[in-house]
Amino acid sequence: MDRDGDEEENSTRVQARFVTKLDPPFKVPSTSIAIPSSLTRLGLSTIINNLLQAGNPEWSHEPFDFLIDGEFVRMSLEQFLLAKGISAERTLEIEYIKAVVPRKEEEPSLHDDWVSAVDGSSPRFILTGCYDGLGRVWKSAGVCTHILEGHSGAITSARVINSEGGESVTVATASKDQTVRLWKFNAEEAANSHMKIRPFKILRGHKASVQSVSSQTSGDMICSGGWDSTINLWQTNEINTEGDLVSIKKKKKNDQAEESQLQGEAVSTLVGHTQCVSSVNWSQHDTIFSASWDHSIRRWDVETGKDLLNIYCGKSLNCLDIGGEGSMMIAAGGSDPILRIWDPRKPGTSAPVFQFSSHTSWISACKWHNKSWFNLLSSSYDGKVMLWDLRTAWPLSVIGSHQDKVLCADWWKGDAVVSGGVDSKLRISSGISVQ
């Protein structure tokens, strides 16, 4: 006897009309139909796929997510209506979107040690930093085009400074060797060549490990935060300007040809944090955001060097990112499993406006999707990357492709997630539809 079938038969029915902003191949008839109120999103997804297949026998199954009154359905319709106080008598307008889940896991890109930093901001390549002290540039899964050699300690952070226009790309890496280094390479060079690149400029000034680096939008300057509790601002140019650069020569091993390197000093230093500055973000021209192990998030005025906002979180923080609505929302995570989001435009900003608590260990990275007000990702020492939407408290997707702690994660090309961890692998989870 089919109990599930019986339960569906016995459950009450509700009138529903399905609507979507998706293109015509994904549109179903807008007429109202009666459906069992016991359905969850999987049952609703089956209905949509059946309706689409009725109009197109070639249709291949696609997972969908569902919203009622702008909120994701993450329980049965009956429970949802009850929880939201919505009458079961009314005709429900149910919006469906493509489910925000990876449709493909690429082959892992292997490193020789922990993958501690990743930047997917350029659609042309992925930049990684590793505990072996090397930066690597990947054109695609398993295809390494450049190796950045020069650091004498583990790389903790890696950022693309400028990849627009022309073939030449500038990137920055931060390291436990107390330096930030700048590199240039040609992103269009032959694939899988493992071309070795030396830094064109070494930035010295931190008195302890450098933990995070971020670039001003123009790419003219970068900032870095470190274990010495300071944030340093640096120029990225190659021109010898007074007070910024000195040219140093050093002999390479085995008396090979000498190489000339520029050495930069900090233009200014922001002081205020009392412990490690674990994350910096310079996404707005005159404003830097920082997160620290001193439990605070600060917003700095670059001109005056003053912190204009100080949010006390109560936890040591590992990561922060700015994005979402108006590119103003602050996401941060640290020494507990909760991803917190603040809206600094609201009075009483110290209280988060959202808290997501599905991880089971510390959070290592968080990143907003640059084309969506609602979507962001987080990675954790629990070995998972989670994809979130502000319209539901549950993760839209949980990516479990790593075998150990995940240390870093980012979006790539708008529809993929790139992540690295203690398993020494860069993973690419692709085919993610973010609306």
Side-chain angles (χ1 to χ4, degrees), residues 119 122 124-128 135-139 144-149 158-173 181-190 193-200 238:
D119 185 332
S122 171
R124 294 190 283 173
F125 60 87
I126 302 160
L127 174 66
T128 61
R136 290 174 177 83
V137 179
W138 304 85
K139 207 175 185 71
C144 177
T145 57
H146 299 80
I147 295 176
L148 313 182
E149 282 188 344
R159 284 290 170 269
V160 178
I161 297 172
N162 190 359
S163 69
E164 299 306 313
E167 296 167 345
S168 178
V169 174
T170 307
V171 302
T173 53
R181 297 183 189 227
L182 301 178
W183 320 73
K184 272 192 190 304
F185 58 87
N186 182 339
E188 303 305 319
E189 270 158 347
S193 57
H194 290 83
M195 186 173 290
K196 290 182 177 167
I197 307 287
R198 303 290 297 178
F200 72 82
E238 291 177 84

Side-chain angles (χ1 to χ4, degrees), residues 1 23 29 84 88 104 195 226 233 299 323 325 342 362 371:
M1 185 171 164
D23 290 334
K84 301 297 168 191
K104 186 181 179 189
M195 186 173 290
L233 278 57
R299 182 173 66 193
E325 186 180 345
W342 291 266
W362 292 15
K371 296 281 195 302

Side-chain angles (χ1 to χ4, degrees), residues 45-95:
S45 199
T46 302
I47 287 177
I48 296 296
N49 276 288
N50 288 344
L51 289 169
L52 291 168
Q53 197 165 24
N56 174 12
E58 304 295 305
W59 180 259
S60 56
H61 187 90
E62 174 79 32
F64 293 100
D65 258 316
F66 298 86
L67 299 100
I68 297 175
D69 292 345
E71 199 164 327
F72 276 88
V73 177
R74 274 291 184 273
M75 49 190 83
S76 73
L77 281 177
E78 196 166 27
Q79 291 166 319
F80 184 89
L81 298 181
L82 201 60
K84 301 297 168 191
I86 299 170
S87 166
E89 302 299 311
R90 81 174 220 204
T91 299
L92 296 175
E93 188 169 276
I94 305 177
E95 183 185 357

